[in-house]
Amino acid sequence: MLLLLYLDATQLGWQEMCNFLLAIAFCGLVCFSAGEDALPANGTLSDGQTLISRNHDFELGFFTPGSSKNRFVGIWYKRKPEVVVWVANWNNPIIYSQGVVLRIARYGALVICRDGSILWSSNSSRVAPSNLILQLLDTGNLVLAVDTTEDNYIWQSFDHPRDTRLPGMFMVHSPAEEDKYLTSWTSSDDPSPGDFTYRIENKGLPQMVIRRGNVKIYRSGMWNGVYINVPTFYNTIFKGKIFTDKGRTMYIDPYNSSILTRLVIDQTGLIRRYTMDERKDKWNLVYTIPKDPCDDYTKCGPNGMCIIEGVPICRCLDGFKPKFQTEWDFQDWSDGCTRIRALSCMNGDGFLELKGVKYPDILRFYLNTSMSIGECRDVCLRKCNCTAYAQPYIDNGGRGCLMWFGDLIDIRVLPGADKNQNIYIRLPVSELESIRKSDNKKRRHAKLIAVSAAVGTLISILICGATVIVRRRRRRGKSITFTPAFLIVKGTEFVFYQKL
């Protein structure tokens, strides 16, 4: 191609030669070849052209989702184009894409435009130099920068998540700036913002929350210094990290170049974690959130507790009873439970320990990160409206004080939970004594059942043994003489006597 251009150029005069060379130089600055990972400052990307990350994992270009007729600019997995991880103009569909290009504006923003008319803009707020490039990184992050040093990013797609979180992308809660969170698509044909969001909420202790509009439908449980109760924290491959910096609470799945993984919130509000099976070239579903009915927010109502192995799965906390028994019998647990006996406050209350549970939601609470557990108990007792207390952090042997006021909302037993995550429920002393007697009775009953089972097993063994002996002696033609014996059960013990 270059040789042909050279031969054509040699037939030109000097003036034509200069014009030819100027045209070649201009094309070198402005024209763009599909398949590269970066777009220069004067370049454009039109429909049909793409940027491809250097590791060939991600691709940027124009696409049409599902059965839609509209065009969008987005990023997808190169080997799985149907899996889109980010959309630029998700609120501004392109109805007719002829003449539409993606380019870097003179003021340093990324824009989608047609004939000078802007259809979408990244609205970068930072002062931008003239030598910007647009680059698709190996992480799937699209950046506007002078170079790929993170501090030099003018704008990046990771700061504007859609429905997918990729490793290396932060979710952020900040009182001083815009939060970064996931938002579901409206449908598989429409990437505009849907009904569901997945975000960090921090009212003193951070937790992950799914909302439908403004209604909370799931929460992970609070950060306890070791984990948030989401499966990411139990997986060594893509273990999540949560930390605070300059007043911001941030959550991230660290980037690992050897693993392709993504987390997406779908149109039904379900969180799904996928990893790529390289050998089979397919996505494997690792986990979903919510993972079971007990993850539904306030499944068992106020002062109720969800036990996924239970039948039914909801029961009242000890010292409480169903607020409406009839509804409870029909497995409508939404109204929860109410106290069997009212608190006595200064006249005598105590606490019942509840082990291995997700702490109630912090709606009305008090948090002190330096108070000891003993001090926490004493302060809670002095406050008549304090209904429970616990140590918010379980690392380093436990620390701090967290107190709840009013109803206890959204408690569930955590399978395999760290037994250091325990909460102390306030009850009147009379109720504690009643619970203690009931527990002792249950233990005696369980022991009696165990003893009865053991006696039955022993008797069966004796009968089987005697039967075997009788048969053997009969085969040998010997007579059989039995020595009378009897079994006496004394309390929870049994004694075998043989008459001599």
Side-chain angles (χ1 to χ4, degrees):
M1 179 65 179
L2 291 175
L3 178 61
L4 291 173
L5 290 173
Y6 172 76
L7 292 174
D8 287 344
T10 57
Q11 309 301 317
L12 302 174
W14 283 109
Q15 184 63 44
E16 289 84 355
M17 176 71 79
C18 289
N19 291 337
F20 176 80
L21 293 175
L22 285 172
I24 292 294
F26 178 78
C27 188
L29 289 172
V30 178
C31 295
F32 170 71
S33 175
E36 297 178 1
D37 71 325
L39 186 71
N42 294 324
T44 60
L45 188 76
S46 58
D47 199 346
Q49 295 179 317
T50 62
L51 293 179
I52 299 174
S53 62
R54 291 180 183 176
N55 62 3
H56 286 254
D57 283 341
F58 296 96
E59 189 169 16
L60 166 77
F62 290 78
F63 77 100
T64 296
S67 59
S68 172
K69 295 182 180 180
N70 297 324
R71 298 291 278 172
F72 297 85
V73 173
I75 300 171
W76 56 84
Y77 287 98
K78 181 169 173 52
R79 70 174 74 178
K80 297 288 184 182
E82 71 278 6
V83 180
V84 177
V85 299
W86 185 78
V87 183
N89 56 317
W90 64 338
N91 256 334
N92 303 90
I94 301 167
I95 299 174
Y96 177 66
S97 65
Q98 183 68 32
V100 176
V101 296
L102 177 72
R103 60 183 294 267
I104 303 172
R106 293 179 181 177
Y107 52 87
L110 183 64
V111 297
I112 301 172
C113 59
R114 179 195 289 120
D115 300 327
S117 177
I118 295 176
L119 307 178
W120 172 85
S121 171
S122 65
N123 295 323
S124 177
S125 59
R126 295 178 59 179
V127 178
S130 59
N131 58 337
L132 281 177
I133 62 168
L134 178 69
Q135 186 169 19
L136 181 59
L137 305 182
D138 288 349
T139 58
N141 192 11
L142 185 67
V143 301
L144 269 176
V146 177
D147 55 50
T148 54
T149 304
E150 189 168 353
D151 291 341
N152 292 328
Y153 295 169
I154 301 300
W155 174 91
Q156 59 178 324
S157 61
F158 273 17
D159 282 342
H160 306 275
R162 302 313 195 208
D163 71 330
T164 301
R165 188 178 75 215
L166 298 175
M169 177 187 291
F170 285 97
M171 295 179 70
V172 180
H173 169 81
S174 174
E177 60 186 66
E178 186 177 358
D179 287 354
K180 297 179 179 66
Y181 55 90
L182 302 185
T183 303
S184 65
W185 284 20
T186 295
S187 71
S188 58
D189 304 325
D190 181 3
S192 64
D195 293 334
F196 299 94
T197 59
Y198 182 53
R199 64 175 74 205
I200 298 176
E201 293 189 1
N202 190 351
K203 296 180 179 180
L205 293 169
Q207 58 184 345
M208 308 303 295
V209 172
I210 301 175
R211 288 184 180 271
R212 182 171 191 170
N214 292 323
V215 178
K216 189 183 300 183
I217 62 172
Y218 163 86
R219 68 179 189 96
S220 62
M222 289 83 73
W223 170 249
N224 62 15
V226 179
Y227 60 81
I228 284 180
N229 184 44
V230 293
T232 300
F233 281 87
Y234 307 122
N235 191 300
T236 56
I237 297 176
F238 37 79
K239 188 171 184 178
K241 294 182 179 178
I242 190 164
F243 56 93
T244 57
D245 179 55
K246 298 177 181 178
R248 299 182 300 168
T249 305
M250 296 182 287
Y251 176 94
I252 185 174
D253 294 335
Y255 175 66
N256 184 338
S257 60
S258 65
I259 300 171
L260 278 182
T261 181
R262 59 190 172 95
L263 184 140
V264 61
I265 181 168
D266 67 19
Q267 295 86 25
T268 66
L270 198 65
I271 304 294
R272 299 178 187 268
R273 162 76 70 178
Y274 295 94
T275 57
M276 170 60 71
D277 185 328
E278 299 283 353
R279 186 175 63 85
K280 296 182 179 179
D281 194 31
K282 70 169 188 175
W283 290 103
N284 288 334
L285 178 64
V286 181
Y287 63 77
T288 59
I289 302 174
K291 61 181 177 291
D292 58 48
C294 283
D295 268 350
D296 295 343
Y297 186 68
T298 189
K299 178 71 176 181
C300 299
N303 308 308
M305 179 171 64
C306 195
I307 308 171
I308 195 60
E309 298 87 0
V311 181
I313 61 173
C314 286
R315 75 170 180 85
C316 292
L317 297 172
D318 285 341
F320 293 79
K321 63 180 180 180
K323 189 172 183 179
F324 300 108
Q325 185 63 54
T326 303
E327 294 179 2
W328 198 268
D329 293 339
F330 283 99
Q331 298 192 1
D332 177 0
W333 305 296
S334 57
D335 288 307
C337 307
T338 187
R339 290 186 180 276
I340 296 173
R341 295 182 177 90
L343 292 175
S344 302
C345 195
M346 297 300 181
N347 296 324
D349 289 332
F351 295 93
L352 183 68
E353 184 180 31
L354 187 59
K355 295 184 176 182
V357 296
K358 180 173 76 172
Y359 288 159
D361 202 0
I362 45 176
L363 305 176
R364 296 171 57 207
F365 68 100
Y366 169 79
L367 175 65
N368 185 306
T369 58
S370 60
M371 189 180 292
S372 71
I373 190 67
E375 292 171 327
C376 190
R377 180 185 187 280
D378 293 342
V379 173
C380 184
L381 274 178
R382 290 197 298 268
K383 295 180 179 294
C384 292
N385 59 345
C386 177
T387 51
Y389 75 94
Q391 288 185 304
Y393 303 108
I394 65 172
D395 57 331
N396 301 318
R399 56 193 172 91
C401 173
L402 177 61
M403 289 185 282
W404 286 263
F405 303 96
D407 288 331
L408 303 174
I409 304 293
D410 196 40
I411 300 176
R412 71 161 293 168
V413 172
L414 298 176
D418 189 320
K419 295 307 179 184
N420 289 325
Q421 185 161 302
N422 306 328
I423 185 172
Y424 300 87
I425 310 296
R426 185 173 188 162
L427 296 172
V429 171
S430 58
E431 187 61 33
L432 288 171
E433 181 62 23
S434 176
I435 292 170
R436 186 186 65 80
K437 290 179 180 178
S438 175
D439 287 345
N440 288 340
K441 185 177 180 180
K442 289 177 182 177
R443 281 193 291 269
R444 286 195 300 270
H445 183 65
K447 194 172 183 180
L448 183 59
I449 291 175
V451 168
S452 300
V455 169
T457 302
L458 180 59
I459 292 174
S460 298
I461 292 172
L462 291 174
I463 292 172
C464 290
T467 303
V468 170
I469 293 172
V470 168
R471 287 178 178 175
R472 285 180 179 176
R473 287 178 174 264
R474 281 179 177 171
R475 282 198 296 267
R476 295 173 185 173
K478 294 182 179 182
S479 61
I480 302 171
T481 302
F482 287 102
T483 302
F486 57 94
L487 195 67
I488 296 178
V489 178
K490 295 183 176 181
T492 58
E493 299 180 353
F494 59 91
V495 183
F496 180 79
Y497 290 90
Q498 187 174 35
K499 186 174 181 180
L500 298 176

